[in-house]
Amino acid sequence: MNKRILLSLVVLLALFCLGSLTVICVTTGVLWQNNLRSSPTPLSSLITETVTPPQAAATSTATPAITTEETPSPSPTKPLTAEDAAILKQMERIEQQVAALRGLPLLEPVKRQLMNSEELRKHVEENFLKDYTAEEAAQDARVLSVFGLLNSDFDLYGLYLELYSEQVAGFYDSETKEMYVVQGGTFGGMERSTYAHEFTHALQDQHYNLREGLKINPDSCKEDSEYCAAVQALIEGDASLTEQYWLYQHGTAQDRRDIEAFYASYSSPVLDSAPSFLREDFAFPYREGVDFVLTLFQEDGYNAIDAAFANPPVSTEMILHPEKYPDDRPVTLSLPQFTGLLNRPLSELDRGVMGEWYTYLILAHGVQENWRIADELARQAAAGWGGDAYAVFWDETARQPVMALLSEWESERDAGEFRQAFTAYARLRWGEADQQDLQRGWLWQETGDGVVFFQQRSNQTLWLIVPRQADIPLLKPSGW
């Protein structure tokens, strides 16, 4: 199976930092990602921003679609109220301000719709998760558990359903070209700043074509998950920077009071209960994306950001190290088809590229806290990443997974740094190795995960998890 499920879940992470454009302190995050970064809703059809509304309007009725026409037409089932008309005027003004700040004119009207919390929940169940089954979520959890990021029986589907309903405050649908604002009875500072962010996505889509021009669509992302991770960081970083720029230039004192009041009472029990690596991954396109975009902005303003949309980053390494953009492209590695190598039935669960970001997450954000090595050590170890390929299979005979991760590092020294960090992580996860040898590799013979093997060869490393020690030489790449 080579199915890539993309999640556009946005999570609220930090307080707004008011008064400075050179420091972006509000980072609202999003998970999306690759085969391993399992998730139900394609970014190509949905970009969501997380900001939970200050109040849930439990008594609200269905809300009308609002278009950008000068005189809004009432819904056939419900006339446009005076409050809705006032919100429409605010939206129109924010659009004008954002387009001027971003330097991208609106090319065609964007449909807009208000949504209450009950309608959001229904939308989550009927649209966000319609193509993602509980069975697929269970398989994703099994894959993630091999890399130590989740327990194999973790309920991913239930988490996504609850987290969408808790966190989403607005979203732009790049398939239908519509924007939605989740409203809690007001259209205050949080909703206004969220709208500035979402409208930036509409401008990006009109000028750069998110689905076809930037290739943020399910088929392309199946083929190149690292590219999709990098481009989403560009997309979200740009929108976050523009949101902050709008708030700095056009936000009112009341907007700031609304935001401060929101954060003073904000809680996110579902997000807080999510596994550590998921919380970090939700943040990546915003936190690291803002840092990447801000580096470009400091060089030549939005001209540099527009140039990045024309020549997008292709890896999480570029996002984490803006100085490596655009020239330091990852190497391409491949793994054999394991199904004929072990002389017993294997079914492929997943195959893809881990990337620098997920390499770091494995080391620093494992499901068990006592498996995690120091954050700075994990970041340094992952920073020498040059390319990789991983594959996960299920051995029906042994009722265990079969996994291989082949990584290439920018130098032999970088490979050695990763080896040292990985073996430190491995000791925390599996105990002392039964074999520890630079030439023959590290071997853990009896673990709850099977037989674990790790070896460095020049500037490459190989990590295997197999049911039997005799499987190891069969799965080693040629030359190992």
Side-chain angles (χ1 to χ4, degrees):
M1 184 184 76
N2 188 23
K3 182 175 183 180
R4 171 189 239 214
I5 305 167
L6 303 176
L7 175 64
S8 284
L9 252 191
V10 189
V11 294
L12 187 62
L13 295 178
L15 295 176
F16 281 84
C17 180
L18 304 177
S20 173
L21 288 180
T22 59
V23 180
I24 304 299
C25 291
V26 58
T27 49
T28 50
V30 180
L31 162 76
W32 54 279
Q33 248 64 290
N34 75 35
N35 311 9
L36 177 64
R37 306 158 204 190
S38 307
S39 47
T41 304
L43 173 65
S44 55
S45 61
L46 176 70
I47 298 177
T48 63
E49 303 318 325
T50 73
V51 180
T52 305
Q55 301 173 354
T59 59
S60 298
T61 56
T63 50
I66 303 179
T67 72
T68 55
E69 299 170 1
E70 247 180 67
T71 306
S73 301
S75 164
T77 58
K78 179 187 174 185
L80 191 66
T81 66
E83 290 80 6
D84 290 337
I87 290 172
L88 173 62
K89 290 297 183 184
Q90 290 192 59
M91 290 177 173
E92 290 173 345
R93 183 59 177 157
I94 292 170
E95 289 181 2
Q96 294 166 3
Q97 293 165 342
V98 169
L101 289 173
R102 184 59 185 84
L104 297 175
L106 184 65
L107 301 180
E108 59 185 41
V110 178
K111 291 182 180 180
R112 296 169 293 190
Q113 182 166 318
L114 304 178
M115 179 181 288
N116 64 36
S117 57
E118 288 74 22
E119 291 165 333
L120 170 63
R121 177 83 179 195
K122 183 178 180 181
H123 196 85
V124 168
E125 293 180 298
E126 294 181 356
N127 295 281
F128 291 5
L129 301 177
K130 66 179 180 179
D131 297 320
Y132 189 63
T133 67
E135 290 74 18
E136 290 170 321
Q139 179 166 299
D140 293 335
R142 178 183 290 179
V143 171
L144 289 161
S145 72
V146 174
F147 294 100
L149 295 170
L150 276 185
N151 292 321
S152 60
D153 60 352
F154 185 83
D155 182 11
L156 270 178
Y157 187 91
L159 174 69
Y160 292 150
L161 176 61
E162 296 302 322
L163 194 52
Y164 267 120
S165 301
E166 176 187 80
Q167 290 294 318
V168 174
F171 56 94
Y172 170 72
D173 188 327
S174 65
E175 187 170 16
T176 65
K177 313 299 182 185
E178 291 181 304
M179 287 199 301
Y180 297 82
V181 174
V182 180
Q183 194 185 12
T186 64
F187 193 70
M190 291 303 296
E191 290 85 359
R192 282 162 52 80
S193 61
T194 297
Y195 192 80
H197 189 120
E198 295 310 315
F199 184 68
T200 304
H201 287 320
L203 294 176
Q204 292 167 340
D205 196 19
Q206 290 191 7
H207 285 265
Y208 301 113
N209 193 338
L210 299 180
R211 289 176 62 87
E212 302 304 326
L214 289 174
K215 302 299 182 185
I216 300 299
N217 60 68
D219 290 340
S220 295
C221 291
K222 286 177 184 178
E223 297 299 320
D224 195 343
S225 61
E226 272 288 281
Y227 168 83
C228 285
V231 173
Q232 185 168 357
L234 170 64
I235 291 168
E236 299 299 348
D238 176 27
S240 295
L241 175 65
T242 303
E243 175 188 0
Q244 277 290 286
Y245 200 176
W246 174 85
L247 189 60
Y248 179 78
Q249 293 280 37
H250 300 290
T252 66
Q254 185 61 51
D255 287 334
R256 289 164 170 77
R257 286 192 292 270
D258 290 345
I259 290 166
E260 290 169 1
F262 170 78
Y263 279 103
S265 61
Y266 174 70
S267 64
S268 54
V270 178
L271 173 62
D272 292 343
S273 70
S276 178
F277 95 94
L278 277 174
R279 294 197 303 270
E280 290 296 307
D281 203 31
F282 293 164
F284 179 82
Y286 282 68
R287 186 178 58 207
E288 280 73 19
V290 164
D291 288 344
F292 174 78
V293 166
L294 189 55
T295 299
L296 300 177
F297 188 85
Q298 290 169 336
E299 292 175 358
D300 191 20
Y302 280 115
N303 290 332
I305 298 173
D306 289 334
F309 275 93
N311 182 24
V314 298
S315 69
T316 56
E317 178 190 40
M318 288 183 178
I319 301 301
L320 292 164
H321 310 281
E323 71 279 5
K324 295 186 177 183
Y325 168 79
D327 297 326
D328 193 350
R329 304 179 74 85
V331 299
T332 300
L333 300 178
S334 62
L335 291 168
Q337 291 293 333
F338 292 175
T339 50
L341 296 178
L342 300 186
N343 298 315
R344 56 184 189 270
L346 297 178
S347 57
E348 185 173 311
L349 301 180
D350 198 15
R351 179 183 292 268
V353 174
M354 194 69 64
E356 179 178 337
W357 174 242
Y358 256 66
T359 300
Y360 154 75
L361 289 178
I362 289 170
L363 296 175
H365 290 278
V367 64
Q368 299 293 333
E369 190 171 353
N370 60 359
W371 294 355
R372 304 169 192 171
I373 67 172
D375 190 85
E376 186 56 36
L377 178 59
R379 288 186 183 275
Q380 182 177 347
W385 180 90
D388 72 57
Y390 76 86
V392 182
F393 291 77
W394 182 252
D395 183 335
E396 188 60 39
T397 302
R399 302 294 299 169
Q400 285 184 298
V402 175
M403 186 279 289
L405 171 60
L406 175 65
S407 303
E408 183 162 314
W409 304 87
E410 293 183 345
S411 70
E412 187 169 347
R413 177 178 178 179
D414 289 323
E417 287 183 351
F418 177 72
R419 183 197 73 235
Q420 292 174 343
F422 179 86
T423 52
Y425 158 82
R427 282 193 295 273
L428 296 174
R429 183 173 173 183
W430 297 298
E432 288 297 324
D434 299 295
Q435 172 183 298
Q436 304 181 49
D437 189 285
L438 281 172
Q439 297 300 318
R440 295 184 299 154
W442 277 250
L443 180 69
W444 291 261
Q445 290 180 315
E446 295 183 9
T447 77
D449 300 302
V451 177
V452 181
F453 176 79
F454 180 85
Q455 188 174 15
Q456 176 189 350
R457 179 176 175 271
S458 185
N459 69 331
Q460 291 190 336
T461 58
L462 178 66
W463 174 20
L464 300 175
I465 296 180
V466 293
R468 307 168 188 173
Q469 187 172 344
D471 297 331
I472 294 172
L474 300 178
L475 297 185
K476 282 188 176 184
S478 176
W480 284 71

